[in-house]
Amino acid sequence: GFVIAQALAQQESWRKAGLRLRMSVNIGARHFLSEDFVSLLREIPALARRQGDPEAPEILIEVPEHEVLRDPGRARRAIRECRKLGLGVSLDDFGTGQASIRTLQELEIDEVKVDRSFIRNLMEDPKDLAIVANLLRTARMLLIRPVAKGAESEAEGQILAHLGCPILQGAVLSLPLPPEEIPGWIAGFCPPASWTDALQWPEFDMEELSLLMVARAARDLLRRLPKEPMDFAEWMGWTESRDRCLVCRWFDYTEKLLGERAGENFAAARSHHEIFHRRLSEAMAPDAGGDPGPCFGALADLSRIGEDVVERILALCGKTAQNLSRSLL
């Protein structure tokens, strides 16, 4: 009760300063599911004063998904009582507890926070991207507000916006701040242009987004090509193992996703990436003395092949995705 009372007091302080800020208060499942939790809430004077105030900013109780699923029946009752008191409920660590669509529907929650473990690998792991896209789609279908936790880069924010999640939480916005510094941060924050642009475009399906991720990985690979002889050492193992190639990983996933629709142009792009691997291996072959002898004359050829892969993949995308590629790549 004390923590919620303090949160309400802080929220009211911001409100008097002209800021209507939504707040979430973390509550452990042991307290949330306890028999006296609602009774404690009813004893908070500030919460009672909010009743019937249409201008009161939203405040939510935030509980972990996997803990709520231990006793869905009691959780439903607690959520129902919270709603009567003007509190919303946010489900934290969404995706880790495997809540079914039926469970989400019955819980009648206001918000879900997609767990950072999925967001962290969004740009590298095709399966994580697919999971996030599905979690966000499920939430929106049930009219539940989605929030992405742990976003750390502008590109992640851009992809999440295209997946229908414009609300982020993470270091890409700010590190944790004391309450008195938040108004100044809000006044000075300017979202990247790529985010505002992304919100104006239609959402992509997974097939087109996966093609973009192939192109992005291929372009990033070109940026990391060795520039000096000493830089080639870290690439020796990479040329021998496709498992370490992010481009190959996205090619594998997208090819399975597209199936027969992949077509000849996709196959040609993949073939050119295989040529890239072979040419890089040749460039790094040991010289007659047994020392690694990277052929720097091959770098221009590698760049040409890599750019050709990018262009071939982008040619398979629609105009909207091609517009997105300007900032994503």
Side-chain angles (χ1 to χ4, degrees), residues 275-293:
I275 293 173
F276 181 95
H277 273 282
R278 290 199 297 272
R279 293 291 289 123
L280 182 60
S281 296
E282 293 168 1
M284 296 174 61
D287 61 17
D291 295 323

Side-chain angles (χ1 to χ4, degrees), residues 185-238:
W185 176 85
I186 292 174
F189 177 71
C190 181
S194 64
W195 294 2
T196 52
D197 290 344
L199 293 174
Q200 298 176 19
W201 296 106
E203 294 174 22
F204 295 131
D205 58 32
M206 276 300 297
E207 294 181 0
E208 193 157 49
L209 187 54
S210 295
L211 286 169
L212 278 177
M213 298 307 288
V214 174
R216 184 180 187 276
R219 177 63 57 77
D220 185 59
L221 181 61
L222 290 176
R223 294 192 189 100
R224 295 185 293 108
L225 277 175
K227 302 298 189 300
E228 301 291 341
M230 66 183 66
D231 296 335
F232 274 78
E234 65 180 83
W235 285 71
M236 292 301 289
W238 183 87

Side-chain angles (χ1 to χ4, degrees), residues 126-162:
K127 292 182 179 179
D128 275 355
L129 179 63
I131 289 171
V132 170
N134 186 59
L135 291 175
L136 295 175
R137 187 180 300 114
T138 298
R140 294 196 312 275
M141 287 175 61
L142 295 175
L143 305 181
I144 299 172
R145 178 176 59 239
V147 177
K149 290 179 58 178
E152 296 184 351
S153 71
E154 179 180 336
E156 288 173 354
Q158 187 178 1
I159 290 297
L160 288 163
H162 279 289

Side-chain angles (χ1 to χ4, degrees), residues 26-166:
N26 289 293
I27 299 293
R30 182 171 62 87
H31 295 293
F32 182 71
L33 299 176
S34 66
E35 295 291 347
D36 59 350
F37 177 68
V38 175
S39 299
L40 292 173
L41 292 180
R42 293 194 181 106
E43 296 175 0
I44 301 175
L47 191 56
R49 289 194 296 269
R50 288 169 52 95
Q51 301 299 309
D53 181 0
E55 299 299 321
E58 185 179 16
I59 188 163
L60 302 102
I61 302 297
E62 188 174 312
V63 289
E65 177 191 25
H66 64 280
E67 294 288 352
V68 167
L69 294 181
R70 291 193 306 173
D71 194 339
R74 180 170 290 183
R76 282 195 296 272
R77 292 192 295 273
I79 292 171
R80 190 161 49 244
E81 293 302 319
C82 283
R83 284 183 171 278
K84 291 179 181 178
L85 294 170
L87 293 169
V89 176
S90 175
L91 204 61
D92 197 14
D93 303 332
F94 184 51
T96 61
Q98 303 298 316
S100 67
I101 294 179
R102 173 62 65 183
T103 302
L104 288 176
Q105 182 183 29
E106 292 176 349
L107 286 176
E108 297 184 1
I109 55 177
D110 302 274
E111 177 183 270
V112 292
K113 291 190 172 183
V114 179
D115 189 67
R116 62 172 57 88
S117 63
F118 301 117
I119 306 301
R120 182 169 52 240
N121 297 318
L122 185 72
M123 313 298 287
E124 287 76 34
D125 193 325
K127 292 182 179 179
D128 275 355
L129 179 63
I131 289 171
V132 170
N134 186 59
L135 291 175
L136 295 175
R137 187 180 300 114
T138 298
R140 294 196 312 275
M141 287 175 61
L142 295 175
L143 305 181
I144 299 172
R145 178 176 59 239
V147 177
K149 290 179 58 178
E152 296 184 351
S153 71
E154 179 180 336
E156 288 173 354
Q158 187 178 1
I159 290 297
L160 288 163
H162 279 289
L163 290 175
C165 184

Side-chain angles (χ1 to χ4, degrees), residues 253-272:
Y253 177 80
T254 307
E255 185 173 23
K256 292 176 183 177
L257 191 65
L258 294 174
E260 295 181 356
R261 297 188 303 280
E264 294 181 0
N265 291 334
F266 181 88
R270 177 146 207 177
S271 176
H272 272 65

